[in-house]
Amino acid sequence: MSRALKPPRWPLWGALLLLVGALLAVLIFLAAEYEVGRDQAALDQDATTVVGEIRSALLRNVQTLQSLNAFSPTPASWDAPAAELLAQRRELVRLEWRDTDMRVLAQRLSAYRPDVFDLLPRGQALPEVRQACDAAQRLSGPAYSASYFWPKRDGRGLEVMELCLPLSEAGESRGFLIATYSLPAMLAELTDAVTLRGRGLSFVESDGARLAVHSVVPVQRRTLSAHALLDLPGHTLLLQLESPRRALGLFPNVLTGVVGALSLALLAVLYLLARDMRRRQRAEQRAADALAFRKAMEDSLVTGLRARDMSGRITYVNPAFCQMVGLTAEQLVGSGMPAPWWPPELVDEYQQRQAVRLAGQVLPREGYESVFQRSDGTRFPVLIIEAPLIDAQGVQTGYMSAIIDLTEQRRIEELNRASQDKLQATARLATVGEMASLISHELNQPLAAIASYASGTLNLLHQGGGRGEGDSDGDDGVSDDIERAIRRIGEQAERAGRVIRGVADFVRRRDQVREAVEPHLLIEGISTLLTLQAKKRGIRLQVDIAPGTPRVWCDRTMVEQVLLNLARNGMQAMPLGDPGTASGLRVLRIAMAPVMGEAGEPGEGRCARWVRMDVTDHGQGLPPEVAERLFTPFFTTKAEGMGLGLSLCRTVVEQHGGALDFEPAQPRGTRFSFTLPVAEASAARPVETHAF
Ligand code: ADP
């Protein structure tokens, strides 16, 4: 069976794995993005919270600062509360009380940052102070200046911002309270440390440049950043909150972990499915192979197979069965009773047989013979062997029958019988012929003698009649009668001679059909009879045909008869118990070999002209008195013998130009031998007698 070419599966599996891989990657990416988005939103929220905290702290500061000048202090009395306030509020670097002309009435520097104005005089910051106070006047409330960098002596510097708080009393301006904020300190003091743990917090410019830094995230880490505006009267600051991005491992968080695990589970299931599928495919392949093997086996069978279910319906037929009955499997499968191959006249009988079978009775194991009908109406004998059909659960589901077509077997039996009949008829005819020719040969002499005695007597009568002329009429009448009678005797003797010759001629005239015969065919023709007789006597038959033995030119049936006679005589000479079985001599050997020419003869070194056939037995042998009379017709030592066998054999062999002879065999028994001409040589030349 040629296996159908299937497209390779690996691209499909590759594509599937690729898709699953891509899906897994997208899922992990989306999960990570989701995580980042969530972190970003939280950070944005925190940034807003931080800004809110700073703003409310600044507002609270404004109120506290307002309370500093609430009770009309003198510059001297202002200093102490200012110092206290600076001690409480670390984000404040300096407090100043200025009059409406911006002259400093009182000032106080934070004890925490005494060195801020060491490098540059405070006056340098006046523009920012004015800017804040202008804004404050405009807004009639506290206002902030833009932040600015204030260098320090240690080479570093500080980003600061001025808050200007207009002071008034009874609607009259009493100057300004200037508070200088340190931006880094604002970040440090006004925010919740817990929120900021591990995060970076700074004020930045719109271009990202940092103005004041409270904390930073390590540079090597990827960060998330959120910005929020600290909208103050007179100035707006941009706050930046940074947070290290969470490390993105293969499974950075629960969600991606779950997605990953699910994907892995999916891959595992896919793998298991693929393995299962492969196993299935292998099993299917094995099943298909087994099926193909079974089908090839069924198709090669010459025995018909037929399965029936329990109701007698056909469930399966093999090609041999279809061929037998001349119907197709489609026509047969599903058909019930009466079956399409039942001859109409036998339907009743078969129905009964079917009923017996369906009643559960066991059918003969060795089978039974039946007659089927082909689709063209011809009948043929079959042998049916049936067995119950048992399924995997051990339940009988029907019957399986093997059907053997006996047509050929019957034909061979018929042929065998016909050839046996023919052989026997020929044997009888040959014996009768031989007998007739012998009888005619034996009777010819007495008949001839009778005829000559009759004619002699007539002559004597004539002579006597001449001498006795003139005798009485009565005497004449008597002698006439005698003469007539004797003439009649002579005539009848001649007639008997003619009849006998006629019979002899008739027997001799028997068609002698000569043909070229393979030596082994001569044995095959009589093998059935020989085997049967040998078996009866417990004798082993041995046939030796020398390689290269040519075909012989002979009347096949007659030569078969000769071989049969000689073999039968040989076997009769070895009755059961003689010689003893232990001696190993209970063998009848038939040998055939070409006779090679002797030195000086024309056949020497060339093709053989004769084939010699030997029939050897190991019987009691021939006593001299028997050997002497062996070929004498009707000589026999057997109670039921006719004594014609050997003389017939000799006649037949001699008619073929050959010779029949015998000699003692070793260690005991007799060997009869005869020769027959080789076919090729005989066809070209006239038959000649060959002697041993
Ligand atoms: P039949 O077999 O009818 O007696 P045959 O002419 O074939 O007539 O044989 C004549 C006799 O020769 C037999 O009765 C038998 O005594 C003897 N004879 C023939 N063949 C053998 C043999 N192979 N061994 C011993 N005796 C034989």
Side-chain angles (χ1 to χ4, degrees):
M1 184 189 80
S2 73
R3 210 165 278 169
L5 215 64
K6 286 185 204 144
R9 280 174 201 280
W10 65 265
L12 277 179
W13 279 110
L16 185 65
L17 280 178
L18 213 68
L19 279 177
V20 170
L23 185 70
L24 184 65
V26 166
L27 278 175
I28 291 176
F29 174 74
L30 285 179
E33 281 299 297
Y34 171 74
E35 290 288 318
V36 169
R38 216 178 52 176
D39 287 356
Q40 181 69 53
L43 197 64
D44 286 344
Q45 183 60 44
D46 285 351
T48 314
T49 311
V50 170
V51 163
E53 282 171 357
I54 295 175
R55 188 181 290 121
S56 29
L58 287 178
L59 264 178
R60 276 198 306 277
N61 280 359
V62 167
Q63 285 164 6
T64 315
L65 287 168
Q66 273 170 343
S67 65
L68 199 63
N69 284 58
F71 304 105
S72 307
T74 61
S77 68
W78 181 87
D79 189 60
E84 191 186 340
L85 199 135
L86 281 171
Q88 285 171 358
R89 302 280 188 264
R90 289 180 172 221
E91 63 274 18
L92 290 173
V93 178
R94 178 190 172 94
L95 284 176
E96 284 174 352
W97 181 12
R98 288 182 186 247
D99 64 10
T100 47
D101 295 329
M102 298 309 278
R103 278 190 300 269
V104 176
L105 296 176
Q107 59 164 344
R108 184 79 195 177
L109 203 59
S110 169
Y112 300 111
R113 300 179 193 274
D115 58 338
V116 175
F117 297 101
D118 284 0
L119 186 63
L120 290 177
R122 170 68 180 158
Q124 294 251 336
L126 207 56
E128 276 78 17
V129 175
R130 281 189 194 285
Q131 182 204 351
C133 290
D134 288 350
Q137 272 180 325
R138 249 194 339 273
L139 296 170
S140 311
Y144 295 83
S145 73
S147 70
Y148 60 96
F149 184 74
W150 190 254
K152 290 200 300 180
R153 191 182 286 279
D154 58 7
R156 290 155 69 184
L158 192 65
E159 189 74 15
V160 293
M161 181 177 73
E162 304 295 339
L163 163 66
C164 182
L165 203 65
L167 300 170
S168 60
E169 207 175 285
E172 201 178 317
S173 178
R174 296 283 305 277
F176 303 97
L177 182 65
I178 312 295
T180 307
Y181 273 102
S182 154
L183 259 56
M186 271 170 70
L187 293 175
E189 300 300 324
L190 306 182
T191 55
D192 175 16
V194 179
T195 321
L196 298 174
R197 190 172 298 145
R199 288 173 163 181
L201 184 66
S202 52
F203 282 120
V204 292
E205 286 190 277
S206 53
D207 63 357
R210 284 201 175 97
L211 293 175
V213 177
H214 166 57
S215 55
V216 287
V217 178
V219 275
Q220 66 270 32
R221 303 277 298 273
R222 293 172 63 197
T223 54
L224 289 176
S225 67
H227 294 91
L229 284 174
L230 177 58
D231 207 0
L232 299 170
H235 185 54
T236 301
L237 282 169
L238 186 59
L239 181 114
Q240 175 177 283
L241 182 62
E242 284 179 312
S243 171
R245 217 162 145 158
R246 274 191 256 181
L248 263 183
L250 187 55
F251 303 111
N253 52 47
V254 177
L255 184 64
T256 40
V258 168
V259 168
L262 283 177
S263 307
L264 284 178
L266 183 67
L267 277 177
V269 168
L270 272 179
Y271 169 74
L272 289 176
L273 269 179
R275 204 174 60 169
D276 183 57
M277 203 180 282
R278 235 189 353 262
R279 278 192 193 153
R280 244 165 225 276
Q281 271 174 351
R282 252 184 257 135
E284 270 173 23
Q285 193 60 53
R286 273 201 298 273
D289 284 349
L291 207 70
F293 178 74
R294 206 191 78 180
K295 187 158 170 20
M297 213 165 67
E298 285 168 6
D299 291 354
S300 68
L301 275 182
V302 286
T303 306
L305 289 179
R306 169 196 75 185
R308 274 185 163 141
D309 63 13
M310 293 307 279
S311 63
R313 218 190 321 277
I314 296 291
T315 54
Y316 167 80
V317 282
N318 77 337
F321 185 78
C322 295
Q323 212 176 353
M324 253 181 225
V325 296
L327 295 167
T328 63
E330 289 75 35
Q331 288 170 309
L332 290 169
V333 172
S335 63
M337 316 271 174
W341 58 84
W342 286 1
E345 68 278 11
L346 295 170
V347 164
D348 287 346
E349 186 189 320
Y350 288 5
Q351 290 273 28
Q352 273 170 15
R353 198 166 66 194
Q354 205 61 29
V356 168
R357 180 186 300 140
L358 293 178
Q361 289 195 13
V362 184
L363 292 154
R365 184 71 193 93
E366 66 279 4
Y368 53 91
E369 288 193 14
S370 185
V371 175
F372 281 5
Q373 177 180 286
R374 290 194 187 87
S375 56
D376 61 5
T378 52
R379 316 287 150 97
F380 62 103
V382 289
L383 177 70
I384 305 175
I385 300 158
E386 239 162 33
L389 208 58
I390 312 288
D391 71 3
Q393 279 74 43
V395 179
Q396 182 176 356
T397 55
Y399 294 91
M400 175 59 96
S401 317
I403 292 121
I404 299 161
D405 188 345
L406 297 179
T407 313
E408 186 59 13
Q409 193 180 322
R410 286 285 147 80
R411 198 181 64 83
I412 291 168
E413 281 171 11
E414 191 53 45
L415 267 178
N416 264 346
R417 205 173 44 246
S419 85
Q420 296 304 335
D421 288 352
K422 191 177 155 203
L423 207 63
Q424 275 165 7
T426 318
R428 270 197 299 277
L429 204 69
T431 315
V432 169
E434 186 67 13
M435 205 151 70
S437 68
L438 285 171
I439 290 170
S440 69
H441 182 258
E442 295 301 321
L443 287 186
N444 250 344
Q445 283 175 3
L447 282 174
I450 291 170
S452 60
Y453 279 128
S455 67
T457 310
L458 276 178
N459 285 341
L460 284 177
L461 271 178
H462 282 302
Q463 284 167 13
R467 266 198 323 266
E469 227 169 295
D471 286 357
S472 67
D473 286 350
D475 282 355
D476 277 355
V478 171
S479 61
D480 279 353
D481 285 346
I482 292 170
E483 190 186 328
R484 206 176 305 120
I486 289 172
R487 195 167 283 124
R488 292 277 180 279
I489 289 170
E491 281 168 13
Q492 289 307 317
E494 266 175 33
R495 203 168 86 86
R498 276 202 308 277
V499 169
I500 295 246
R501 266 197 305 282
V503 170
D505 284 350
F506 172 75
V507 173
R508 244 181 260 121
R509 264 208 317 275
R510 183 188 166 273
D511 285 347
Q512 292 187 345
V513 194
R514 299 284 167 89
E515 55 185 330
V517 186
E518 288 288 348
H520 71 90
L521 291 180
L522 294 172
I523 301 289
E524 269 169 32
I526 54 171
S527 65
T528 329
L529 273 182
L530 282 183
T531 324
L532 210 71
Q533 292 177 8
K535 218 171 175 178
K536 248 194 259 170
R537 292 182 164 82
I539 292 170
R540 189 161 65 83
L541 259 182
Q542 184 186 331
V543 177
D544 296 326
I545 301 175
T549 306
R551 296 187 297 170
V552 288
W553 185 253
C554 65
D555 180 337
R556 180 174 166 176
T557 322
M558 294 312 288
V559 174
E560 281 172 357
Q561 202 56 51
V562 171
L563 279 170
L564 193 62
N565 271 347
L566 294 179
R568 195 191 286 138
N569 277 348
M571 285 193 268
Q572 281 169 349
M574 292 190 280
L576 270 174
D578 176 76
T581 40
S583 68
L585 291 173
R586 294 195 65 71
V587 179
L588 183 90
R589 181 166 179 267
I590 300 178
M592 297 185 181
V595 179
M596 303 314 284
E598 306 228 333
E601 278 196 8
E604 191 208 359
R606 289 189 282 118
C607 306
R609 290 164 64 192
W610 297 94
V611 169
R612 174 181 160 135
M613 307 198 175
D614 297 331
V615 180
T616 313
D617 67 78
H618 298 293
Q620 67 268 45
L622 291 171
E625 65 278 10
V626 176
E628 247 170 50
R629 306 180 57 200
L630 210 55
F631 295 104
T632 311
F634 304 111
F635 170 75
T636 178
T637 59
K638 303 166 195 167
E640 76 288 4
M642 277 185 71
L644 280 174
L646 283 176
S647 91
L648 171 68
C649 288
R650 192 168 62 179
T651 312
V652 169
V653 169
E654 284 173 359
Q655 273 174 0
H656 282 81
L660 172 69
D661 209 345
F662 63 92
E663 59 185 349
Q666 290 310 320
R668 71 195 295 252
T670 321
R671 176 186 350 259
F672 280 84
S673 310
F674 63 95
T675 46
L676 287 174
V678 167
E680 286 69 24
S682 319
R685 61 172 174 71
V687 173
E688 62 182 66
T689 309
H690 171 84
F692 281 98

